[in-house]
Amino acid sequence: MNASFTPAELRNAFTLLSSTALIRLISEIDDNGPIPPRRLAGTLHDLSAHRLRRATDAARAHALVRVGPGVGLELTTSGAELADIYDAMARWARRHAYPTPICDFTTRLQHTLALLAPMLGADPAEGSQRRAGESPPEPDADLGLARALLAQWLNVNPQVTLLPEPEHVA
């Protein structure tokens, strides 16, 4: 990595990027296009209103999504690039049946991000997705590519390593 991030900053980034609600939000917009504000809760109906609001606020604060006039919530360039990285990681995880042969997209990403975190210098988060006794597959060129893409994306998007400022109530 070109930019020098502290382990805490990388932990912040990996916590954000592995959030179930954020993965679902980014992937849904990437797969199906902008989501009108009134359709957000119906589109991601299995997420609570609180989790959905937090994911949307975090995605906006980190410049991953924006509200496009007349279209609703859409990906920014950074958000679209992140969606591509998510897809590359999920392809690698599917090819290697990681973490299990039958697994959903979000879980595959969370486990793969947990696998990549130490490779990028992040201390594994306390809530690591790896199960006790689970051995990851040997890293290969495709995982190396996903790691390189993620490192490059983090260098271009250092805002994701910072915790968003808390909103002040007047």
Side-chain angles (χ1 to χ4, degrees), residues 133-147:
E134 177 184 64
S135 60
E138 287 297 316
D140 62 9
D142 290 338
L143 185 60
L145 175 60
R147 179 203 164 283

Side-chain angles (χ1 to χ4, degrees), residues 97-111:
Y98 187 69
T100 60
I102 299 175
C103 191
D104 64 68
F105 182 81
T106 301
T107 302
R108 285 197 195 283
L109 287 178
Q110 290 169 330
H111 281 262

Side-chain angles (χ1 to χ4, degrees), residues 13-25 27 47 51 85-94 98-100 103-118 124-125 127-131 134 136 143 150:
F14 279 91
T15 297
L16 173 72
L17 298 178
S18 63
S19 158
T20 299
L22 183 77
I23 291 170
R24 295 278 317 285
L25 178 67
S27 299
L47 296 176
R51 287 184 73 199
I85 293 167
Y86 279 167
D87 287 341
M89 287 190 292
R91 277 192 304 277
W92 176 86
R94 258 191 322 275
Y98 187 69
T100 60
C103 191
D104 64 68
F105 182 81
T106 301
T107 302
R108 285 197 195 283
L109 287 178
Q110 290 169 330
H111 281 262
T112 305
L113 281 163
L115 183 63
L116 290 174
S128 175
Q129 295 294 320
R130 188 169 304 158
R131 296 180 193 125
E134 177 184 64
L143 185 60
L150 182 58

Side-chain angles (χ1 to χ4, degrees), residues 33-154:
I35 303 173
R38 295 179 192 258
R39 302 228 21 233
L40 194 57
T43 301
L44 299 169
H45 56 85
D46 58 324
L47 296 176
S48 70
H50 175 73
R51 287 184 73 199
L52 193 52
R53 184 173 40 259
R54 283 186 57 198
T56 302
D57 290 348
R60 290 178 74 184
H62 294 295
L64 302 175
V65 300
R66 66 176 166 253
V67 177
V71 295
L73 207 55
E74 62 185 0
L75 295 177
T76 61
T77 300
S78 293
E81 291 168 352
L82 178 60
D84 291 342
I85 293 167
Y86 279 167
D87 287 341
M89 287 190 292
R91 277 192 304 277
W92 176 86
R94 258 191 322 275
R95 190 172 312 115
H96 293 277
Y98 187 69
T100 60
I102 299 175
C103 191
D104 64 68
F105 182 81
T106 301
T107 302
R108 285 197 195 283
L109 287 178
Q110 290 169 330
H111 281 262
T112 305
L113 281 163
L115 183 63
L116 290 174
M119 292 178 186
L120 292 173
D123 293 336
E126 287 181 21
S128 175
Q129 295 294 320
R130 188 169 304 158
R131 296 180 193 125
E134 177 184 64
S135 60
E138 287 297 316
D140 62 9
D142 290 338
L143 185 60
L145 175 60
R147 179 203 164 283
L149 289 171
L150 182 58
Q152 179 182 9
W153 186 86
L154 286 169

